[in-house]
């Protein structure tokens, strides 16, 4: 038997249950992974609350790292004992074992430990598509990144800085501002006491920014649009404060022929070839030291509810992981 987190109804962190299950054998094209570390992400909360629908009862989590325990029929790329990591579903990573399609699993370089992989796979691949594909940031370019001290934000600050860009990051207090600066942010804006558009205008001498990366959603939507230069791109990739609703396309015209996109990892890592390319790019910056995954919080598997509560209340910095 093995321990796993499940939920039978949507709601608050209290709906998460620790249950004993018998790990099934992997089917054709699947591998069974003995997790050594598990990633915690906002998308997990979206499923738990019902913002993203799912069939119930359900497991939770799509990111982790560990050792291959068994392989299913037709799997030739992995064998028992391989060190691996994964960032996409199906849900069920919150457990001692996870069954994953081999197509969603990547071999983990020896130089990258399990905790780094679990804290950095989904977030790191997210940053990869955001700043290397959705809008390829360039040297000496000013960009705005919300939640700069979070798991995704801290990676983005480092990676964009390594590319020569100037990151303006939003934060909620001085400690998070210091953390963002240590990770390469050029300037920070405390959105609890400053107007984000006004500060961006000051910092850019009125030019504003060509791109805004926004994982907050509803609360920052209008400010994000106001920070864009003409023909700028609004990249909305999360809903931490709730989904953006009632969008008036005329606002894009008023702002100067603005663009908006709502990307996802699944939309970019949609083939094995693209997934491997993105992983290689991420592993390269991790191995070079240009990007470090900061594990700000570690929780035991049975503390998954408390971990999600801390993440939702913005009490975390860097990445948060669960340890089975």
């Amino acid at each position: 038997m093995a321990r796993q987190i499940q939920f039978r109804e949507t709601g608050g962190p209290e709906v998460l249950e620790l249950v004993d299950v018998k790990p099934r054998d992997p089917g054709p094209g699947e591998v069974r992974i003995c997790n050594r570390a598990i990633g915690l992400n906002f998308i997990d909360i979206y499923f738990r609350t019902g913002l993203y629908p799912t069939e119930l009862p359900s497991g939770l989590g799509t990111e982790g790292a560990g050792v291959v325990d068994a392989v299913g029929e037709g799997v030739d790329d992995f064998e028992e004992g391989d060190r691996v990591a994964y960032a996409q579903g199906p849900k069920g990573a919150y457990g001692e074992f996870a069954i994953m399609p081999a197509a969603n699993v990547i071999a983990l370089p020896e130089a990258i430990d399990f905790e780094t992989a679990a804290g950095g796979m989904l977030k790191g691949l997210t940053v990869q598509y955001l700043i290397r594909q959705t809008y390829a940031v360039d040297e000496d370019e000013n960009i705005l990144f919300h939640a700069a001290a979070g798991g995704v934000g801290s990676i983005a600050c480092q990676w964009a800085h390594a590319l020569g860009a100037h990151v303006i990051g939003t934060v909620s207090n001085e400690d998070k501002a210091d953390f963002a600066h240590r990770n390469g942010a050029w300037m920070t804006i405390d959105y609890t006491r400053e107007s984000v558009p006004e500060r961006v205008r000051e910092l850019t001498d009125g030019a504003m920014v060509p791109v805004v990366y926004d994982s907050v959603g509803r609360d920052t939507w209008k400010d994000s649009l106001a920070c864009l230069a003409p023909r700028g791109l609004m990249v909305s990739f999360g809903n931490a404060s709730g989904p953006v609703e009632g969008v008036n396309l005329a606002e894009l015209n008023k702002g100067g022929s603005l663009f908006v996109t709502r990307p996802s990892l699944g939309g970019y890592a949609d083939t094995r070839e693209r997934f491997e390319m993105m992983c290689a790019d991420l592993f390269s910056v991790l191995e070079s030291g240009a990007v470090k995954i900061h594990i700000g919080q570690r929780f035991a598997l049975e503390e998954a509810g408390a971990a999600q509560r801390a993440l939702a209340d913005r009490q975390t910095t860097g990445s948060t992981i669960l340890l089975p």
Side-chain angles (χ1 to χ4, degrees):
M1 301 297 285
R3 301 182 306 156
Q4 186 180 53
I5 295 291
Q6 295 183 355
F7 63 109
R8 301 177 184 278
E9 59 182 344
T10 57
E14 67 279 357
V15 303
L16 299 183
E17 302 176 88
L18 184 68
V19 300
D20 289 323
V21 298
K22 183 179 180 180
R24 68 173 176 84
D25 292 333
E30 294 180 330
V31 297
R32 188 171 67 202
I33 300 165
C34 178
N35 283 327
R36 299 294 177 82
I38 301 154
L40 189 80
N41 297 283
F42 255 103
I43 193 171
D44 306 338
I45 297 175
Y46 301 157
F47 282 114
R48 188 206 75 214
T49 61
L51 178 63
Y52 289 177
T54 189
E55 217 174 287
L56 297 174
S58 175
L60 201 58
T62 61
E63 177 185 38
V67 176
V68 173
D69 177 68
V71 299
E73 183 183 347
V75 175
D76 300 320
D77 295 336
F78 301 103
E79 59 185 27
E80 188 176 333
D82 284 351
R83 301 174 72 256
V84 296
Y86 56 94
Q88 300 184 84
K91 296 184 296 300
Y94 284 23
E96 293 177 329
F97 288 87
I99 304 287
M100 289 288 156
N104 291 355
V105 177
I106 195 79
L108 191 60
E110 288 294 333
I112 300 175
D113 62 67
F114 294 121
E115 290 193 1
T116 294
M121 274 294 290
L122 192 148
K123 299 173 188 68
L125 292 175
T126 297
V127 173
Q128 197 284 335
Y129 79 71
L130 288 174
I131 72 171
R132 302 280 277 165
Q133 299 187 72
T134 305
Y135 181 95
V137 302
D138 209 350
E139 192 173 2
D140 294 327
E141 208 166 29
N142 297 322
I143 67 172
L144 178 66
F145 211 103
H146 285 290
V152 174
S154 60
I155 297 170
C157 285
Q158 295 175 73
W159 204 334
H161 176 72
L163 294 171
H166 303 146
V167 182
I168 303 170
T170 68
V171 295
S172 60
N173 57 53
E174 285 189 18
D175 288 342
K176 291 192 174 186
D178 290 342
F179 184 73
H181 281 296
R182 291 198 304 272
N183 282 302
W186 170 55
M187 293 288 176
T188 57
I189 302 172
D190 185 340
Y191 64 83
T192 67
R193 59 182 182 83
E194 299 177 283
S195 165
V196 175
E198 287 180 12
R199 282 293 289 142
V200 169
R201 190 173 301 280
E202 292 171 7
L203 293 170
T204 62
D205 295 325
M208 310 311 280
V209 294
V211 62
V212 174
Y213 297 100
D214 189 336
S215 62
V216 179
R218 182 178 55 211
D219 290 354
T220 50
W221 171 257
K222 289 188 180 297
D223 276 355
S224 291
L225 291 181
C227 292
L228 286 168
R231 297 173 301 283
L233 175 63
M234 166 66 171
V235 183
S236 177
F237 68 100
N239 316 285
S241 67
V244 176
E245 297 174 334
V247 176
N248 182 356
L249 292 180
E251 292 180 7
L252 307 182
N253 176 266
K254 286 183 194 176
S257 299
L258 303 178
F259 295 85
V260 175
T261 184
R262 182 61 171 86
S264 68
L265 177 58
Y268 279 86
D270 56 346
T271 67
R272 181 67 188 184
E273 183 180 16
R274 289 176 66 87
F275 174 57
E276 290 180 351
M277 176 276 291
M278 293 168 67
C279 288
D281 200 15
L282 173 61
F283 292 161
S284 175
V285 294
L286 290 177
E287 291 179 296
S288 73
V291 172
K292 292 181 172 59
I293 305 300
H294 297 281
I295 309 296
Q297 302 75 215
R298 294 171 174 83
F299 290 84
L301 179 63
E302 58 267 27
E303 299 174 312
Q308 287 196 353
R309 185 177 289 109
L311 183 63
D313 291 344
R314 302 182 187 181
Q315 296 174 350
T316 63
T317 54
S319 296
T320 302
I321 61 171
L322 302 176
L323 298 175

